[in-house]
Amino acid sequence: MLTGEVFVQEGLISVDQLNLALAKQQELGQTVPIARILQDLGLITEVDRVRCLGTMWGIPFVSLAEALPDAEALAKISPAFARKFKILPLTLEEGRLTLAMANPMDVFVIDELRLNTGLEIEPKIAVEEDLVAALSLHYQGEAAISEAMAGVLKDFEGDMDLDIRPGEEDLTADQLREMGEEAPVIRMATLILSQAINDKASDIHIEPRKHELVVRFRIDGVMMDVMKLPKAMTAPLTSRFKIIANMDIAEKRAPQDARISARINGIEFDFRVSTLPMVHGEKIVLRVLDKRGTMLGLSKIGFLPHNLTGLEDLAGRSYGILLVTGPTGSGKSTTLYSLLNTTNDGLKNIITIEDPVEYEIDGINQCAVNNRAGMTFAAGLRAMLRQDPDVIMVGEMRDKETATIAMEAALTGHLVFSTLHTNDASSTPGRLMDMEVEPFLIASSIIGVLAQRLVRTICPKCREPYQGTRESLVRAGFPVPDDLEADITLFQGRGCPHCKGTGYKGRTGVHELLVMNDEIRDMVLRREPAHLIRKKAIESGMTTLQQDAVRKILMGQTTVDEAVRVLYA
């Protein structure tokens, strides 16, 4: 086990910082590793922890962001074995195979590799998360997918017992079920789910066209074609997903919704499944629900220090409403769950009402909307107020009744989190007035409004600088700092296999935080328009979405084109 002295010897922390962490460990209990406490305090990184572990064991550390595996080395270990034990072959030189390993002290795995390959094994230690990403990149690339898909399609054409012709609609429920349980169809469904997880897709679209079946993923907010399958596979694949989602397999004329769970690469994932009858068959969309994405915390979802401090202050208040606004897919749910995690200290009664409950969180009481049973947002919110809550989360303010109850709850000593669909923070009071909510309720209950969008971040593997100009930002419509020089250095992604040639990998938030003050409250009471509220908020220190985007462009996190696409589309 790592001791704190190792980090002091490596010059990562001081003795005083170690003593602070040891005191924290006494509070939490000796079972919590000192390295984990140092990470939580922000004193060391995961890379520091793994590197020091390697130092203690006498095993060199390797950064997988810089190491490029040789094709010859990769071929020496099967993808299944590599993924199972989290091993990435790096080089093969003079009978010696160098490996990056999450656990380089696993002598049984090393001995098995030595026996199977006939090579000397030289292990190096690497960060486990980086290993998983690198394995996905190098062992699950386009060639591997194409090869796997070809095998499934070959089996499909050769093994299917039923004579299925494109466009055939008179299949019975028994025939559909039999097709959905054929081995090639099961493998194809599993392949689609696995590839979506490996590509970090948020949605899977299975779309029947006139002459083919197209599989598309939404990756970093953008749709991408992934597979084109024979038209004859439409009914079997649709049936397969209906079977695992416990849907009515014979119902092809009405939409259906369900939820499924699957264990992929050792991790549990939930999928929200929706079917919709189209001209050429039923379209299926699966929303990937990855609980890990909601556990990031406010400090890891792209907030600049000014906004982060303000938001943490609002989340720490004992009463009032904090609204998160933005269009569908702008990361509102992730921010809400991060806010809940911030307040979830075990000392509060936290209750949520959602439609539906997408992620289950320990220590939080969650209930789902059920309109058929009369469990609407408004009805659920009324019932929640009789449950002695400290913090309430309402999935969405959809109507006057829900908004009014939530605001009255905020005025009676509850902290309320909710979402609303508006273009920016300053237009939120006007939107609530359009819902016929009284201005005095809005002014007295709302403590802040966070508007946000998600922009794609530049791929770290192919990120490169280029010479830009201040004028190019002005022409794009961005507010530019007065002290910015005429010639500036900007960044872009060249395109590489890691980002599938897009130049982007992952997303980050762009935010504006309007904190209510007495002047803005008076403006709301006077029903003043959004542009005047916006002007006053900026005078009070609000950073607009556009200003936040400019800062992230200049920091090299995203590009001008991406910011324009998201903010000005």
Side-chain angles (χ1 to χ4, degrees):
M1 179 182 288
L2 274 172
T3 60
E5 287 79 7
V6 176
F7 301 106
V8 176
Q9 292 166 8
E10 290 291 309
L12 296 170
I13 60 172
S14 66
V15 174
D16 289 342
Q17 289 171 326
L18 175 59
N19 290 334
L20 174 67
L22 290 171
K24 188 74 173 175
Q25 189 182 43
Q26 289 289 339
E27 292 177 25
L28 299 173
Q30 294 292 337
T31 56
V32 182
I34 192 69
R36 180 62 56 203
I37 293 172
L38 289 168
Q39 280 183 260
D40 291 343
L41 292 172
L43 299 175
I44 65 168
T45 65
E46 177 67 4
V47 171
D48 294 331
R49 185 189 74 80
V50 174
R51 183 168 57 80
C52 288
L53 193 61
T55 301
M56 196 173 74
W57 288 341
I59 294 173
F61 171 78
V62 59
S63 171
L64 296 180
E66 301 165 1
L68 185 65
D70 296 339
E72 190 179 4
L74 288 169
K76 290 294 179 181
I77 298 179
S78 72
F81 190 92
R83 281 193 290 271
K84 181 178 180 181
F85 295 104
K86 295 184 174 65
I87 298 168
L88 181 69
L90 297 174
T91 60
L92 178 58
E93 295 177 354
E94 299 177 355
R96 180 179 292 273
L97 182 63
T98 303
L99 307 172
M101 301 180 68
N103 181 14
M105 300 299 285
D106 193 335
V107 293
F108 297 105
V109 172
I110 292 172
D111 286 344
E112 185 173 348
L113 284 172
R114 188 180 288 118
L115 186 66
N116 291 341
T117 63
L119 301 167
E120 281 300 311
I121 304 299
E122 180 182 340
K124 292 187 176 183
I125 193 168
V127 176
E128 184 172 339
E129 185 180 353
D130 293 348
L131 264 172
V132 172
L135 287 167
S136 173
L137 174 64
H138 296 293
Y139 275 124
Q140 194 77 9
E142 293 298 327
I145 288 296
S146 299
E147 183 180 341
M149 190 170 73
V152 171
L153 291 177
K154 183 178 179 181
D155 289 346
F156 171 75
E157 292 166 0
D159 294 350
M160 293 293 285
D161 296 329
L162 296 171
D163 178 23
I164 304 160
R165 294 184 297 277
E168 190 166 354
E169 298 178 354
D170 299 325
L171 297 168
T172 65
D174 289 340
Q175 287 177 309
L176 289 168
R177 185 171 297 279
E178 185 178 346
M179 289 190 307
E181 291 176 347
E182 289 282 348
V185 178
I186 294 173
R187 286 201 299 275
M188 178 56 76
T190 303
L191 179 64
I192 290 170
L193 295 181
S194 299
Q195 181 63 9
I197 297 302
N198 289 330
D199 287 349
K200 294 182 169 57
S202 61
D203 299 87
I204 305 166
H205 292 243
I206 302 170
E207 304 178 352
R209 307 276 175 84
K210 188 172 184 179
H211 300 295
E212 61 191 0
L213 180 67
V214 178
V215 179
R216 303 204 293 164
F217 294 164
R218 186 178 294 278
I219 302 173
D220 295 334
V222 178
M223 295 292 291
M224 294 184 179
D225 288 1
V226 178
M227 303 177 191
K228 291 188 177 179
L229 306 175
K231 177 67 176 176
M233 205 157 191
T234 301
L237 199 56
T238 301
S239 299
R240 180 63 204 159
F241 283 112
K242 283 185 172 183
I243 289 169
I244 58 179
N246 288 320
M247 290 179 169
D248 183 352
I249 200 168
E251 179 56 77
K252 293 179 280 187
R253 295 173 297 176
Q256 297 186 65
D257 290 288
R259 187 176 177 129
I260 62 176
S261 295
R263 192 169 184 85
I264 298 172
N265 297 335
I267 301 169
E268 284 285 347
F269 289 90
D270 285 346
F271 299 86
R272 202 167 70 213
V273 189
S274 169
T275 68
L276 183 65
M278 309 296 284
V279 174
H280 301 294
E282 286 181 278
K283 176 177 176 178
I284 297 181
V285 175
L286 298 95
R287 165 65 59 90
V288 182
L289 304 175
D290 182 0
K291 185 177 178 179
R292 296 171 301 169
T294 66
M295 302 301 167
L296 292 173
L298 291 176
S299 61
K300 297 180 182 178
I301 53 179
F303 285 100
L304 293 177
H306 174 70
N307 284 332
L308 178 61
T309 302
L311 194 60
E312 287 177 334
D313 173 64
L314 294 174
R317 298 194 187 181
S318 57
Y319 64 90
I321 290 184
L322 176 57
L323 289 172
V324 182
T325 76
T328 302
S330 60
K332 296 190 298 295
S333 293
T334 299
T335 300
L336 278 179
Y337 281 113
S338 297
L339 285 166
L340 289 176
N341 282 324
T342 300
T343 59
N344 187 19
D345 55 7
L347 304 175
K348 299 182 183 74
N349 178 21
I350 303 174
I351 308 180
T352 76
I353 180 164
E354 307 166 57
D355 184 19
V357 175
E358 292 191 354
Y359 307 97
E360 296 179 13
I361 304 176
D362 290 338
I364 293 178
N365 305 286
Q366 298 169 269
C367 58
V369 166
N370 186 339
N371 290 317
R372 289 183 180 178
M375 181 68 163
T376 62
F377 273 119
L381 190 49
R382 278 200 196 90
M384 285 161 57
L385 291 173
R386 296 190 288 272
Q387 293 283 316
D388 185 32
D390 297 296
V391 180
I392 297 169
M393 193 266 270
V394 183
E396 185 181 345
M397 285 193 178
R398 292 181 178 173
D399 52 47
K400 175 186 176 180
E401 187 180 11
T402 304
T404 301
I405 298 169
M407 291 177 182
E408 288 172 348
L411 293 176
T412 55
H414 304 88
L415 182 62
V416 181
F417 300 137
S418 190
T419 68
L420 198 66
H421 290 281
T422 62
N423 289 328
D424 57 20
S426 55
S427 60
T428 298
R431 173 76 184 95
L432 290 167
M433 288 180 208
D434 289 342
M435 293 165 60
E436 300 181 351
V437 180
E438 293 295 335
F440 77 88
L441 271 180
I442 300 169
S444 54
S445 64
I446 292 179
I447 57 175
V449 182
L450 174 73
Q452 69 177 54
R453 301 287 189 279
L454 289 177
V455 294
R456 290 180 294 172
T457 51
I458 300 171
C459 174
K461 301 283 187 182
C462 60
R463 180 175 176 266
E464 60 184 17
Y466 71 94
Q467 201 63 34
T469 63
R470 183 181 192 277
E471 185 61 28
S472 64
L473 291 175
V474 174
R475 283 200 309 270
F478 290 108
V480 180
D482 294 333
D483 59 350
L484 192 66
E485 297 179 359
D487 294 323
I488 54 177
T489 300
L490 299 176
F491 294 86
Q492 62 186 5
R494 186 177 61 255
C496 67
H498 184 63
C499 60
K500 298 186 181 296
T502 63
Y504 298 98
K505 190 71 175 177
R507 289 189 290 178
T508 190
V510 175
H511 310 93
E512 69 177 27
L513 180 63
L514 186 155
V515 179
M516 293 289 279
N517 56 32
D518 290 340
E519 292 174 297
I520 296 176
R521 287 191 180 95
D522 288 342
M523 296 177 75
V524 173
L525 287 171
R526 294 194 300 268
R527 296 177 179 264
E528 296 202 15
H531 71 275
L532 293 180
I533 294 176
R534 177 184 175 85
K535 183 179 179 182
K536 178 56 67 178
I538 293 171
E539 290 173 4
S540 302
M542 182 182 82
T543 302
T544 67
L545 288 167
Q546 291 77 14
Q547 289 171 329
D548 198 65
V550 166
R551 293 185 185 183
K552 283 165 182 170
I553 290 169
L554 296 175
M555 290 165 64
Q557 292 185 9
T558 191
T559 65
V560 177
D561 290 344
E562 176 64 7
V564 169
R565 181 186 73 85
V566 172
L567 296 180
Y568 293 113

